Amino acid sequence: MTPIDQAVAIGAEARRFVRTYHNGSLCTLSKKLEGYPFASVSPFVLDAAGNPVILISNLAEHTKNIDADPRVSLLVYPCADDAQAVGRVTLTGRAARLPDKNGFGERYLRYLPQAQDYFAAHDFYFYRIQVENIRYIGGFGKIHWVRPEHYAPPPTLALVEAEAGILAHMNADHRDNLRDYCRYLHTYEAVDVEMVGIDYDGFDVRADGKLLRFDFPEPITGPQEARTALVAMARQCREAQGQETK
């Protein structure tokens, strides 16, 4: 593997890690405290380019900080008893308010439906963090700085445009497949399932209120590749089911 190939692989690993979580610690530069770091909890959803999008009130302290100085960092990590023993990613960049609040609203609320009241409030807006630097710690001794071009996925406009249709089709006609994905790929027996998003690296299912992440073996860029990947995963689950019944 060439150094470039290795850098791209590490970047993809960092991106897949970030896709698994939707809460982070947002750090801004305080306007009130003259540049001191100011940390707060911030839910987020990634856009198609891997940039976090956050929904924040213009009355919030961190929003005032961003408007004064857009440089921010977002720490993404799982909750764990030993926080230093698990992976984590720090994304740094500049945050900017999206001009169209409704443009990202549907995708954001599929992932974070509890934010519906905030979204409806007149003083809440979306801000996108344009990722400029990535610090990826995958565990002890696995520490990397990642360049943004190695972290970002390639453009997937066809998949972005097809996402709503793919979700509607899977949720209307293939909920049994979604349950099988949960059972055989996450060892989780789900009753109520809904696919909430699909992207270059994989897809997300809300299973009994819990978000589960599924990575594709190979990335996809359009609806036909998505169909092929989802059919292959369903076949994998059927084979696992057959082995159970032997």
Side-chain angles (χ1 to χ4, degrees):
M1 181 180 289
T2 68
I4 292 296
D5 290 338
Q6 185 177 19
V8 171
I10 292 170
E13 191 174 324
R15 184 182 65 246
R16 286 174 180 256
F17 181 96
V18 175
R19 289 196 190 279
T20 306
Y21 305 102
H22 296 280
N23 285 288
S25 296
L26 177 69
C27 195
T28 57
L29 298 174
S30 178
K31 179 181 178 181
K32 180 177 180 179
L33 302 178
E34 299 180 345
Y36 276 81
F38 181 88
S40 56
V41 175
S42 181
F44 69 91
V45 174
L46 295 187
D47 67 9
N51 297 308
V53 177
I54 58 179
L55 180 65
I56 51 180
S57 168
N58 59 12
L59 302 176
E61 198 71 21
H62 45 248
T63 309
K64 298 173 185 176
N65 297 341
I66 289 171
D67 290 341
D69 188 328
R71 293 175 297 170
V72 304
S73 67
L74 182 71
L75 173 63
V76 182
Y77 63 99
C79 294
D81 292 336
D82 186 354
Q84 290 186 311
V86 296
R88 52 208 182 269
V89 173
T90 300
L91 304 172
T92 71
R94 287 169 168 79
R97 180 168 151 179
L98 298 185
D100 179 10
K101 181 176 179 178
N102 294 315
F104 198 74
E106 182 177 347
R107 187 168 214 272
Y108 187 93
L109 292 175
R110 286 201 306 266
Y111 280 90
L112 300 170
Q114 64 271 27
Q116 179 64 58
D117 289 344
Y118 299 131
F119 177 76
H122 72 278
D123 61 332
F124 274 79
Y125 300 92
F126 286 120
Y127 281 71
R128 174 186 286 117
I129 301 171
Q130 185 69 42
V131 176
E132 298 176 1
N133 295 282
I134 303 95
R135 181 70 162 173
Y136 172 44
I137 301 177
F140 182 78
K142 190 175 183 180
I143 303 172
H144 306 276
W145 281 106
V146 178
R147 294 176 61 87
E149 63 267 28
H150 297 151
Y151 165 82
T156 55
L157 181 59
L159 183 61
V160 172
E161 292 178 341
E163 181 181 33
I166 294 171
L167 301 185
H169 173 67
M170 292 299 295
N171 291 327
D173 300 333
H174 296 291
R175 288 188 186 265
D176 285 343
N177 284 356
L178 298 180
R179 294 187 183 94
D180 284 345
Y181 298 155
C182 295
R183 178 181 301 114
Y184 294 106
L185 301 178
H186 266 290
T187 63
Y188 182 82
E189 293 287 342
V191 177
D192 184 20
V193 291
E194 178 186 17
M195 183 183 283
V196 298
I198 189 168
D199 53 65
Y200 177 74
D201 294 306
F203 61 96
D204 298 279
V205 173
R206 177 170 288 104
D208 302 328
K210 176 183 180 180
L211 278 176
L212 298 179
R213 177 69 186 175
F214 297 84
D215 287 332
F216 291 131
E218 298 294 334
I220 65 168
T221 59
Q224 184 56 48
E225 290 176 338
R227 181 182 185 280
T228 300
L230 290 167
V231 168
M233 292 177 76
R235 186 181 301 115
Q236 177 185 350
C237 292
R238 286 196 297 271
E239 291 173 354
Q241 183 179 25
Q243 293 173 359
E244 282 184 353
T245 58
K246 286 183 180 179

